[in-house]
Amino acid sequence: MIGGNESCTAGPIPMSYLTCLTYVLGEWTGVEHIEDYLSYAVYLLWVLFPLAVVFLLPGVLVILFYTSILLLHIYKRKNELKEAYSNDFWDGAKQMVATLWDGHGRIWHGYELHGAENIPEGPGLIVFYHGATPVDYVYFMARLFIQRKRSCHVVADHFVFRLPGFKILLDVHGVMHGPKEECVNALKKGSLIAIAPGGVREALFSDEMYTIIWGNRKGFAQVAIDAKVPIIPMFTQNVREGIRTLGGIKILRSLYERVRLPIVPLYGGFPVKLRTFIGEPIPYDPNVTAEELTVKTKAALQALIEKHQKIPGNIFRALMERFQTQKKED
């Protein structure tokens, strides 16, 4: 050790910056052998760093959502004087936000969209499996807008409308609360609507087995019947491997059923391969009941899962699929 009046570089053997810092901290705190405590802290940091990363990576999606909101506000302020002269005021903003999300999907997940030709030119109801987050739907919506200049409304859970700052994002992209009458009217006007009947419950409590959790929900089928539109099943491969939940903890399931808020922790954000598959439409049939149409839709979605997803899902395998040059057909 060197005396208190000596510098770190004094003496015949200059001290390293790390040794010097350790000495200064020891002198300042009065703790003896502080280097042992620092070594232990560094070891803990090294051990816990991967765990911290998998819980922090999903926050990137939150940053992207708020980046989208910021871009919409900037666009609105820049172009609000043109609103009276344009029927497509938000088209430029939608293109900008779609480019942002499509870029993220391409870079982080190598995102692919297959079967887009199954989406009708007119109205239709897309029914999809809900991953831990709806990021795959956002990628699909962005790719659809870029390729076909077509918007797709989506029915969201009520809590989404309570998120701070999200109003402009929801309004611009036509996110809906989901009353049957609102959906039927939008479809009759020629809109394309997407819905995940499993909703938040499926998002949080399904798992790598890709179990469809719809309960007794069949309202979407009645909407399709009332609007006389086809139902188009949609599934994204590896959506459960990108981000997972701790929904297997029973107390979290009980808590959700009590408060109906998505308070189950997420982890992951892994750059796994994501491929969205659009199945063949189930045409409108006036002789089919809502119960029967629900069964047919669930079977069609289950068929997509069985064809394109290896069960159980595996994060490492999903990561390795990033290196495939093209999708493998079963």
Side-chain angles (χ1 to χ4, degrees):
M1 297 294 289
I2 60 178
N5 59 348
E6 295 181 279
S7 68
C8 289
T9 57
I13 304 177
M15 299 178 65
S16 69
Y17 287 111
L18 183 59
T19 305
C20 181
L21 178 61
T22 303
Y23 169 74
V24 172
L25 286 174
E27 290 291 305
W28 181 51
T29 61
V31 177
E32 295 183 1
H33 307 296
I34 194 171
E35 62 273 10
D36 295 334
Y37 294 98
L38 290 177
S39 298
Y40 183 65
V42 170
Y43 173 75
L44 284 179
L45 181 64
W46 178 77
V47 170
L48 298 177
F49 180 74
L51 182 63
V53 168
V54 299
F55 280 98
L56 291 176
L57 273 178
V60 174
L61 299 180
V62 177
I63 294 173
L64 282 175
F65 274 117
Y66 277 102
T67 300
S68 302
I69 292 169
L70 178 61
L71 290 174
L72 290 176
H73 278 293
I74 293 173
Y75 182 88
K76 181 180 180 180
R77 293 292 178 266
K78 182 179 178 182
N79 296 280
E80 59 188 0
L81 293 178
K82 301 178 183 178
E83 185 173 10
Y85 307 99
S86 174
N87 294 324
D88 302 314
F89 176 73
W90 288 111
D91 274 3
K94 289 180 180 179
Q95 183 70 41
M96 182 169 53
V97 172
T99 302
L100 171 69
W101 282 95
D102 189 61
H104 183 269
R106 287 177 184 272
I107 294 170
W108 195 246
H109 292 291
Y111 179 74
E112 298 175 10
L113 175 61
H114 299 276
E117 65 276 4
N118 289 325
I119 299 175
E121 293 298 327
L125 183 64
I126 295 176
V127 175
F128 65 97
Y129 172 84
H130 204 312
T133 70
V135 65
D136 60 312
Y137 168 76
V138 178
Y139 294 149
F140 157 74
M141 181 182 66
R143 186 68 58 85
L144 184 68
F145 189 83
I146 290 172
Q147 291 184 349
R148 298 175 58 172
K149 302 299 180 185
R150 187 160 189 203
S151 297
C152 181
H153 303 289
V154 65
V155 178
D157 192 89
H158 64 89
F159 86 90
V160 175
F161 296 89
R162 301 178 185 176
L163 296 174
F166 266 58
K167 186 178 186 304
I168 188 172
L169 185 67
L170 303 178
D171 290 344
V172 169
H173 289 92
V175 180
M176 308 167 67
H177 286 276
K180 294 180 183 178
E181 297 76 13
E182 183 183 5
C183 294
V184 171
N185 290 337
L187 288 167
K188 287 183 175 180
K189 292 178 181 178
S191 297
L192 191 64
I193 295 179
I195 184 171
V200 176
R201 188 176 286 105
E202 185 172 84
L204 298 180
F205 304 110
S206 186
D207 53 24
E208 63 272 16
M209 301 304 293
Y210 287 83
T211 305
I212 297 175
I213 304 176
W214 287 4
N216 295 319
R217 292 182 177 179
K218 54 181 181 291
F220 71 92
Q222 191 61 56
V223 165
I225 292 172
D226 292 345
K228 301 180 180 179
V229 299
I231 287 180
I232 306 100
M234 182 173 81
F235 170 72
T236 300
Q237 182 186 56
N238 296 326
V239 67
R240 280 278 161 191
E241 277 52 73
I243 294 180
R244 289 188 172 177
T245 75
L246 297 181
I249 302 176
K250 292 183 178 181
I251 190 172
L252 294 178
R253 178 67 179 267
S254 300
L255 187 59
Y256 169 78
E257 298 298 345
R258 181 178 296 273
V259 301
R260 294 300 177 91
L261 290 174
I263 52 180
V264 176
L266 307 177
Y267 68 94
F270 307 113
V272 301
K273 184 68 176 183
L274 293 184
R275 297 185 181 98
T276 293
F277 295 92
I278 311 295
E280 295 184 2
I282 302 172
Y284 165 69
D285 184 347
N287 299 317
V288 173
T289 65
E291 290 79 5
E292 293 170 335
L293 186 55
T294 299
V295 172
K296 290 180 67 174
T297 305
K298 187 173 183 179
L301 186 57
Q302 185 65 50
L304 284 179
I305 295 174
E306 291 175 358
K307 181 177 181 180
H308 300 293
Q309 183 64 55
K310 293 182 179 179
I311 304 294
N314 181 278
I315 294 174
F316 179 75
R317 182 176 63 234
L319 287 169
M320 291 301 98
E321 288 176 1
R322 289 294 304 274
F323 299 100
Q324 294 179 1
T325 56
Q326 58 185 11
K327 73 181 184 71
K328 294 182 178 180
E329 297 289 352
D330 291 341

